[in-house]
Amino acid sequence: MIDFLDLKQVNIQYKIELKDAFKRVLNSGWYIHGKEVTIFEESFAAFCGTKFCVGVGNGLDALRLIFRAYIEIGIISAGDEVIVPANTYIASILAISENRLIPVLVEPDINTYNIDPEKIEEKITSKTKAILLVHLYGQNAYNKKIQEIADEYKLKIIEDAAQAHGAYYKNKRVGSLGNASGFSFYPVKNLGALGDGGAITTDDEELAKTIRALANYGSHKKYKNEHKGINSRLDEIQAAILSVKLKHLDEDNQKRRRIAQYYIENIKHPDIIMPISNFQFQISNSLDHVWHQFVIRTKRRDQLRKYLQENGIQTIIHYPIPPHKQQAYKEWNNFSFPITEKLSKEVLSLPINSILEKSEIHRIVTSINKFE
């Protein structure tokens, strides 16, 4: 069986470095808010090209703390609206609604699966304060058009970069494109911890300080609480592990690009629609996409998935139920987002990661091309 993702094998390649990192933390006797977190925050900020990075407990916390901090400093208020893609993972939307803000769903571009810039402006009202830009499946979603809209309407751009560690827009990395960005280090991510973790990057010093306090019970100084905060911390062990894996991230992402290139050049089945990179002609050298997922589309999705499973190839659907069809947002269940709904019925993610063998990649391609 070709597993969709074998996390044990992904991490075993860094076994010696990870053991050294774990021993270093164990022997330090300091496990929360210590030097490992500081080192990682500084390294990740430098990697993304921002002034500040704040480590937090997970990716959802990263996003919800950004919104909460903007509320605390008076830039956003409860009841304001946030533009968000309709086909994102539900966490993006939870971060908005949990802060008593109103998510305004916008359809994606059918080709890139990222938010359609041409559909944003029509959803803007006097209550709109931000665009939550999701770099879905690892492809940068930011562009000049979106920045122009944000500038014209004085909107904050917040990046949900949970799937796009290391991706670029021109000469800038994801995480430095908007006003603030939320990252997840969930183990399956391109930069994954051995547990949960997240981070926020920004150039806004006031925002960073407010987030850091909010994530620490609302406190800058022990026993002095300025905000009604929460407890959301990136711990020392996860920070040390992430520091190890960050050194290998660009190389691992490049391996993913080469796999994506092979898939696109060699999967030739007439019923399958391949993903589109912004620089389709030379995917392996295009830095705008880190291929967190390689997502194909077909109207015969369920049959293809069953066929591949029978042939020893595991696949996953990202995502089978759109947010507006979830019970959690039952007030939206009658809404119609035809592109999002079409994608949910057709998308299928193939294995793509830094440890796939050439023989496995070839087997996946051959099996798909033989599908009848």
Side-chain angles (χ1 to χ4, degrees):
M1 171 65 75
I2 299 175
D3 293 328
F4 183 77
L5 179 61
D6 186 338
L7 283 175
K8 179 180 178 180
Q9 293 304 315
V10 166
N11 289 300
I12 207 76
Q13 60 188 324
Y14 313 123
K15 182 177 179 179
I16 295 174
E17 291 176 274
L18 292 176
K19 280 188 172 182
D20 288 344
F22 180 82
K23 287 179 183 177
R24 189 169 65 247
V25 175
L26 181 64
N27 292 334
S28 75
W30 195 286
Y31 309 122
I32 297 289
H33 280 174
K35 68 177 183 179
E36 295 292 345
V37 169
T38 299
I39 289 168
F40 175 72
E41 287 177 341
E42 291 175 352
S43 298
F44 196 63
F47 177 83
C48 293
T50 59
K51 294 178 181 177
F52 307 103
C53 171
V54 182
V56 295
N58 54 69
L60 175 56
D61 279 0
L63 292 176
R64 66 183 184 136
L65 282 164
I66 291 170
F67 288 114
R68 174 70 187 284
Y70 275 129
I71 291 170
E72 290 289 322
I73 62 182
I75 290 175
I76 297 177
S77 301
D80 285 341
E81 296 173 351
V82 179
I83 300 288
V84 61
N87 64 319
T88 187
Y89 183 57
I90 199 168
S92 310
I93 295 169
L94 290 172
I96 299 168
S97 59
E98 189 171 323
N99 280 288
R100 295 183 297 155
L101 303 171
I102 310 300
V104 177
L105 307 184
V106 174
E107 287 268 57
D109 182 316
I110 189 66
N111 296 309
T112 66
Y113 312 141
N114 279 327
I115 195 169
D116 188 340
E118 302 302 322
K119 292 184 170 72
I120 293 175
E121 199 164 7
E122 65 192 49
K123 295 293 186 79
I124 294 174
T125 73
S126 60
K127 297 290 286 181
T128 308
K129 294 297 173 64
I131 301 171
L132 180 55
L133 201 59
V134 182
H135 305 296
L136 198 64
Y137 305 143
Q139 181 164 210
N140 161 60
Y142 175 93
N143 58 36
K144 183 180 178 182
K145 171 74 172 177
I146 292 172
Q147 186 64 63
E148 288 173 347
I149 293 170
D151 291 342
E152 180 177 351
Y153 292 94
K154 296 180 173 55
L155 307 179
K156 297 295 183 183
I157 294 179
I158 299 165
E159 299 175 69
D160 181 343
Q163 300 184 10
H165 314 78
Y168 277 88
Y169 171 72
K170 296 185 177 179
N171 63 344
K172 294 185 70 177
R173 293 223 198 228
V174 160
S176 67
L177 304 172
N179 300 97
S181 305
F183 286 88
S184 167
F185 303 126
Y186 188 69
V188 303
K189 305 300 185 183
N190 291 35
L191 179 60
L194 300 188
D196 237 330
I200 295 123
T201 55
T202 184
D203 284 334
D204 186 329
E205 185 174 10
E206 182 183 12
L207 185 73
K209 286 182 176 179
T210 304
I211 289 169
R212 194 174 293 282
L214 285 168
N216 187 40
Y217 302 101
S219 174
H220 285 292
K221 185 177 180 181
K222 195 170 184 179
Y223 302 132
K224 185 176 180 181
N225 302 80
E226 299 170 17
H227 310 277
K228 296 175 183 176
I230 64 172
N231 172 18
S232 182
R233 299 180 289 214
L234 179 66
D235 69 57
E236 285 286 281
I237 287 178
Q238 298 305 336
I241 287 164
L242 289 166
S243 290
V244 168
K245 297 181 73 175
L246 180 60
K247 294 184 293 184
H248 302 279
L249 180 57
D250 280 337
E251 180 184 356
D252 287 348
N253 283 341
Q254 197 60 25
K255 291 177 183 177
R256 289 172 178 266
R257 293 186 181 103
R258 287 194 289 268
I259 296 168
Q261 180 96 40
Y262 187 85
Y263 279 158
I264 287 176
E265 290 178 351
N266 291 281
I267 294 176
K268 302 295 183 182
H269 198 288
D271 293 341
I272 292 175
I273 298 170
M274 303 298 285
I276 292 177
S277 169
N278 289 336
F279 300 93
Q280 186 77 32
F281 59 90
Q282 200 172 30
I283 296 162
S284 62
N285 291 323
S286 170
L287 302 179
D288 75 309
H289 206 321
V290 293
W291 300 97
H292 175 61
Q293 306 296 351
F294 189 93
V295 180
I296 61 174
R297 283 171 45 216
T298 175
K299 293 178 180 178
R300 301 171 62 199
R301 190 262 309 282
D302 294 340
Q303 298 98 304
L304 176 60
R305 190 179 189 207
K306 182 173 182 291
Y307 161 82
L308 291 173
Q309 183 70 27
E310 290 170 348
N311 282 271
I313 299 168
Q314 185 183 34
T315 59
I316 292 194
I317 300 169
H318 296 99
Y319 303 100
I321 305 174
H324 72 283
K325 294 298 184 183
Q326 298 283 358
Q327 178 65 20
Y329 291 99
K330 58 186 177 183
E331 65 272 24
W332 296 345
N333 286 175
N334 292 326
F335 288 2
S336 176
F337 292 95
I339 297 174
T340 293
E341 291 161 26
K342 178 180 176 66
L343 292 175
S344 71
K345 294 180 176 69
E346 295 182 356
V347 293
L348 186 67
S349 299
L350 303 181
I352 186 165
N353 55 72
S354 61
I355 60 163
L356 271 182
E357 300 287 344
K358 288 183 180 179
S359 60
E360 293 175 318
I361 300 164
H362 177 76
R363 182 176 149 197
I364 291 166
V365 169
T366 301
S367 296
I368 291 172
N369 286 337
K370 290 181 177 178
F371 174 58
E372 295 181 354

